[in-house]
Amino acid sequence: MNQDKNALPDLAEVRKEIDSIDQQLQELINQRAQCAQQVAQVKLAKEGEEAHFYRPEREAQVLRTIMERNQGPLSNEEMARLFREVMSACLALERPVKVAYLGPEGTFTQQAAIKHFGHSAISVPMAAIDEVFREVEAGSVDYGVVPIENSTEGVISHTLDSFMDSGLQISGEVVLRIHQHLLVGENTRADKISTIYSHASSLAQCRKWLDAHYPGIERVPMPSNAEAARKVKGEWHSAAIAGDMAAELYELKRLAENIEDTPDNSTRFLIIGRQKVAASGDDKTSLMVSMRNQPGALHQILEPFNRHNLDMTRIESRPSRSGAWNYVFFIDFAGHVDDEGVQPVLKEIGNQAADMKVLGSYPKGVL
């Protein structure tokens, strides 16, 4: 009798095949880990204790290749996330990466740090953005993660200001989809909420939702969403707006989910370090340019990009500390500082500017 082609597979046989595949995966992951240990031995022999084990450009290239050759059914991003964790664990065998982030625990910045470096990195919370910069500059940590802009609320001024006084390099970027939830503690009486805590930017991102559902309720800005979540854990009359990590860390209940006013609300974070990053093949460069206070100053910056067909992706201005009505421009564009087509543009702008500093060339965010 011919077997029915539409018959369901035997469950026991499928589970047996899964067990066999799991064993193969485990063996291959350990083989990869052994290769990582060999890489560490070679680097230590050649470079000594100054060896750099984390290479942002190499990691970006590997993740792009993984996404390009993926055939499903897992999505490209899901497959890359799995490999990110494998790479993170293997790197920890060479030398764990130590990362400072804008804390406390449970913030979106910590979530961005984990997304970029994986769970095997050692993450250290800092109370302020300038403290993240100081920790990296002092060599207490290898890298830092700081927010730079939100799709709804715009640029993070404290981060731009920190770059004015810093010699650190941007070595990467990560974009995080921001979901805001209304959280309460186990003792909270939902019908008696009189105060809602959150970071000022999160309160702004959820303004319309709050106006519709909690009009007249006091909104109290906090240093971070995680701090807001920690505060409401022991209160019975308050709620917090925060994300998934804060909800899990402080064991809070979601009274309402995804309350952000803009469905595609996202925040971009920068990875800062002490070393320059080699070209990965798909890069960005960030500049800080101080122009003299004269007519046409902005045009002098923009024109070379247009003439040399370089894609400028962002420009922001901040008041200069050198004098009233002088401004510093922060510029992102596609390309690496070592690219042949980029060099003429940097030379032209450098000749016209009062000061120009390359903040870093780095791989475009993969995940």
Side-chain angles (χ1 to χ4, degrees), residues 15 23 37 43 113 142 146 152 162 178 203 228-230 254 257 280 285 306 310 319-320 327 334 343 345 350 358 362:
R15 286 175 172 168
Q23 181 179 349
Q37 290 177 319
K43 287 186 176 181
D142 302 302
V146 291
T152 302
S162 294
I178 302 298
L203 290 172
R230 185 198 63 79
R254 292 171 173 81
E257 296 185 339
S280 73
T285 296
N306 179 63
L310 279 187
S320 172
Y327 289 87
Q343 291 294 321
V345 175
V358 177
Y362 48 93

Side-chain angles (χ1 to χ4, degrees), residues 154-270:
V155 70
I156 312 298
S157 300
H158 292 307
T159 298
L160 292 184
D161 291 343
S162 294
F163 276 116
M164 292 188 187
D165 302 320
S166 174
L168 295 178
Q169 292 280 309
I170 301 172
S171 59
E173 66 173 0
V174 57
V175 177
L176 193 67
R177 176 69 175 83
I178 302 298
H179 289 299
Q180 308 277 12
H181 311 309
L182 187 68
L183 308 175
V184 294
E186 59 181 7
N187 297 321
T188 301
R189 294 179 59 182
D191 60 336
K192 298 294 183 180
I193 292 175
S194 59
T195 305
I196 296 177
Y197 301 109
S198 193
H199 190 274
S201 62
S202 292
L203 290 172
Q205 291 167 27
C206 304
R207 184 184 300 112
K208 293 180 181 178
W209 189 92
L210 290 172
D211 289 345
H213 295 84
Y214 287 89
I217 299 299
E218 183 183 17
R219 305 170 193 179
V220 180
M222 299 292 290
S224 69
N225 291 347
E227 182 64 23
R230 185 198 63 79
K231 187 172 179 64
V232 304
K233 183 172 176 60
E235 297 186 355
W236 64 269
H237 59 84
S238 63
I241 296 175
D244 292 325
M245 284 196 68
E248 294 170 8
L249 181 64
Y250 296 104
E251 299 178 333
L252 299 179
K253 175 185 175 183
R254 292 171 173 81
L255 205 58
E257 296 185 339
N258 301 344
I259 65 172
E260 59 275 6
D261 295 331
T262 305
D264 59 350
N265 184 30
S266 301
T267 298
R268 178 174 172 242
F269 299 83
L270 295 178

Side-chain angles (χ1 to χ4, degrees), residues 1 7 10 28 40 68 86 100 103 112 114 124 132-133 138 155 168 179 183 186 197 221 226 228 244 301 315 349 352:
M1 180 181 293
D10 181 73
L28 289 171
E68 288 169 2
V86 172
I114 292 172
V124 183
V132 176
F133 275 79
V155 70
L168 295 178
H179 289 299
L183 308 175
E186 59 181 7
Y197 301 109
D244 292 325
I301 296 176
I315 182 168
I349 295 175
Q352 297 171 4

Side-chain angles (χ1 to χ4, degrees), residues 27-131:
E27 292 172 355
L28 289 171
I29 290 172
N30 277 318
Q31 287 180 30
R32 193 190 194 286
Q34 289 172 352
C35 288
Q37 290 177 319
Q38 293 173 4
V39 169
Q41 293 171 2
V42 173
K43 287 186 176 181
L44 285 172
K46 289 185 176 181
E47 305 173 32
E49 289 301 317
E50 298 301 317
H52 301 304
F53 295 93
Y54 175 70
R55 298 291 299 272
E57 75 281 5
R58 166 65 178 162
E59 186 165 283
Q61 291 167 345
V62 171
L63 290 175
R64 287 179 200 142
T65 301
I66 287 166
M67 296 175 79
E68 288 169 2
R69 70 182 178 217
N70 181 48
Q71 297 181 357
L74 290 178
S75 69
N76 291 347
E77 186 169 335
E78 191 65 36
M79 182 63 72
R81 277 201 293 265
L82 290 172
F83 270 85
R84 165 75 81 197
E85 290 300 330
V86 172
M87 295 164 70
S88 178
C90 290
L91 182 62
L93 290 175
E94 300 177 49
R95 180 184 293 170
V97 177
K98 198 171 184 181
V99 183
Y101 67 91
L102 179 62
E105 284 187 278
T107 60
F108 288 115
T109 311
Q110 184 186 21
Q111 191 174 338
I114 292 172
K115 182 178 181 181
H116 189 81
F117 290 99
H119 285 79
S120 295
I122 300 171
S123 56
V124 183
M126 295 289 120
I129 288 173
D130 60 339
E131 290 185 21

